[in-house]
Amino acid sequence: MTQGSEPRKILLGEDDLPEAWLNIVPSLPSPPEPYLHPATRQPVGPDDLAPLFPMALIGQEVSAEPWIDVPGPVLDAYRLWRPTPLIRALDLERVLGTPARIYYKYEGGSPAGSHKPNTAVPQAYYNAAEGIARLATETGAGQWGSALAFAGARFGLDVDVYMVRASYDAKPYRRTIMETWGARVTPSPSPETAAGRAVLEADPDSTGSLGIAISEAVELAAARDDTHYALGSVLNHVLLHQTVIGLEARKQLDSVGAKPDVLIACVGGGSNFGGFTFPFLADKLAGKLDTRVVAVEPTAAPTLTEGSFGYDLGDQAGMTPLMPMYSLGAGFVPPPIHAGGLRYHGDSPLVSMLVRDGHAEAVAYPQSKVFEAAVTFARAEGILPAPEPAHAIRAVIDEALRCKEQGSAETIVFNLCGHGHFDLAAYADHLSGNLLDV
Ligand SMILES: Cc1ncc(COP(=O)(O)O)c(C=O)c1O
């Protein structure tokens, strides 16, 4: 299809909202390896996870069902901002002079400004349905904490957020938005928990990490019967909830007769990447679609490109199960880059497995190159991306320039998983030449 003959925004009606999430597990050539108990190294069972998660989510974590119904109250909440648009990046194509067709799925229009409410809402719903009063969590960039604060307010739950110190200092307004929705926000490492105190004793100026903040939130949740833990990425049920993104995108591309040659998303713990790509990867694994799938990460936390695959802990203090994944080591504290949501030592076991087995590829970029791409995109398309999806945009631009060199009119589709309105300090650093590559 030539430019101008298709709509710029490919929209779906509320009736097209997916009513079931797609579980990638039955599509995989072999089942994922189990999580192991950190003390016994035996596979964890539902009883091990019950102090932290509601049974409905534990069931989803190990489900082999291909589809899992979205509950009605979750669909009602999704309708506040879903379905989200798939947009043809005509102006970016023009600026780059590429024959490639570029589309992006825009998740920045949710109440919290990212894809994170897609899982925050069902997590809050299932916890409230099982009588839990409070959720404890960590947040890197503040996006996940905002999403859970929004979802907690909707289902009447108290929300306690441990926010990585580097982001707490750099993004004070993320804290304000969480507090507006009623959450309590504590900078991590904090003196409130044994895990936080241990880090502060060794390094009173610690900038924190997701791994440390997770330890603090898990510690709080494990100590109280009325409190559960909620994780914004990494786990199977989180990626499951995010598949609404890819399910909608697949329908939207079908409606204009487009097939993706390259799918691109950034990866922190893997949730927007998994949610966006799994419906397409299920088709690819079934031999129905031939597409490249590219995961993009920062060179400051190069988990998939430089980490090693094996069992590792999800947090720093050793409170979570051991998971089979690419990792830089649970003690790795990434330098404080602006893409706080990508500062994680590990990765989703499902995403790790797909990369290990060659079904997806991974690439890493330094933040200076990422912000150059973000500015190019903002000037062409208007939307100011969050630093995390700006990593995906860097890869999109490089793929589009490759298409230009090769004269190949490929279809490139990426997930623009959040806006950058709370990241203006990062843009200011970039525009004034003060952005460092670490
Ligand atoms: C806007 C945004 N994109 C991406 C990520 C990375 O997380 P994930 O890999 O789970 O999508 C985050 C995490 O906080 C985020 O806030």
Side-chain angles (χ1 to χ4, degrees), residues 113-116 139-144 210 232-234 238-239 242 266-274 340-342 347 386-389 415 417-419:
S114 78
H115 64 294
K116 296 286 180 179
T139 195
Q143 295 266 23
W144 165 244
L210 278 171
S233 191
V234 180
V238 179
L239 277 65
Q242 293 292 355
C266 69
V267 177
S271 76
N272 90 88
F273 174 86
L342 306 186
D347 221 315
E388 291 85 1
N415 194 27
C417 58
H419 69 66

Side-chain angles (χ1 to χ4, degrees), residues 204-426:
D205 299 323
S206 168
T207 51
S209 72
L210 278 171
I212 298 167
I214 291 172
S215 300
E216 294 206 85
V218 170
E219 187 180 323
L220 183 82
R224 295 179 54 136
D225 285 346
D226 67 346
T227 304
H228 270 169
Y229 170 65
L231 186 60
S233 191
V234 180
L235 297 177
N236 299 354
H237 68 265
V238 179
L239 277 65
L240 172 83
H241 301 152
Q242 293 292 355
T243 58
V244 286
I245 305 173
L247 290 167
E248 288 178 8
R250 197 168 63 171
K251 211 180 233 187
Q252 286 162 309
L253 288 170
D254 278 351
S255 76
V256 294
K259 286 242 175 287
D261 295 299
V262 192
L263 293 157
I264 299 178
C266 69
V267 177
S271 76
N272 90 88
F273 174 86
F276 173 59
T277 63
F278 282 1
F280 298 98
L281 272 162
D283 290 346
K284 180 175 171 167
L285 290 164
K288 292 192 281 190
L289 178 70
D290 185 17
T291 183
R292 285 174 54 217
V293 180
V294 183
V296 192
E297 59 185 15
T299 47
T303 316
L304 296 171
T305 50
E306 289 184 40
S308 50
F309 188 95
Y311 273 101
D312 201 4
L313 293 162
D315 71 324
Q316 169 140 349
M319 313 206 47
T320 63
L322 292 155
M323 292 181 289
M325 62 181 179
Y326 279 101
S327 174
L328 297 161
F332 178 76
V333 178
I337 53 167
H338 285 295
L342 306 186
R343 292 181 70 224
Y344 186 56
H345 67 273
D347 221 315
S348 142
L350 291 174
V351 171
S352 295
M353 193 176 167
L354 287 158
V355 170
R356 181 198 62 186
D357 297 344
H359 305 298
E361 49 194 282
V363 60
Y365 287 107
Q367 62 177 354
S368 57
K369 293 271 168 236
V370 165
F371 275 89
E372 268 171 41
V375 169
T376 302
F377 183 83
R379 289 182 185 168
E381 292 291 319
I383 293 172
L384 194 98
E388 291 85 1
H391 286 71
I393 294 173
R394 176 74 260 168
V396 167
I397 291 179
D398 287 357
E399 290 289 337
L401 294 175
R402 174 188 59 74
C403 288
K404 181 176 175 176
E405 247 178 66
Q406 298 174 344
S408 117
E410 293 177 25
T411 296
I412 302 170
V413 191
F414 75 99
N415 194 27
L416 180 39
C417 58
H419 69 66
H421 295 184
F422 289 93
D423 303 284
L424 295 177

Side-chain angles (χ1 to χ4, degrees), residues 3 14 16 33 45 61 96 116 121-122 132 157 167 187-188 226 229 299 355 363 372 415 420-421 435-436:
Q3 287 193 1
E14 284 184 20
D16 294 312
E33 288 129 84
E61 191 60 26
L96 299 175
K116 296 286 180 179
V121 165
I132 284 296
L157 294 168
S167 297
S188 166
D226 67 346
Y229 170 65
T299 47
V355 170
V363 60
E372 268 171 41
N415 194 27
H421 295 184
L435 193 104
L436 300 177

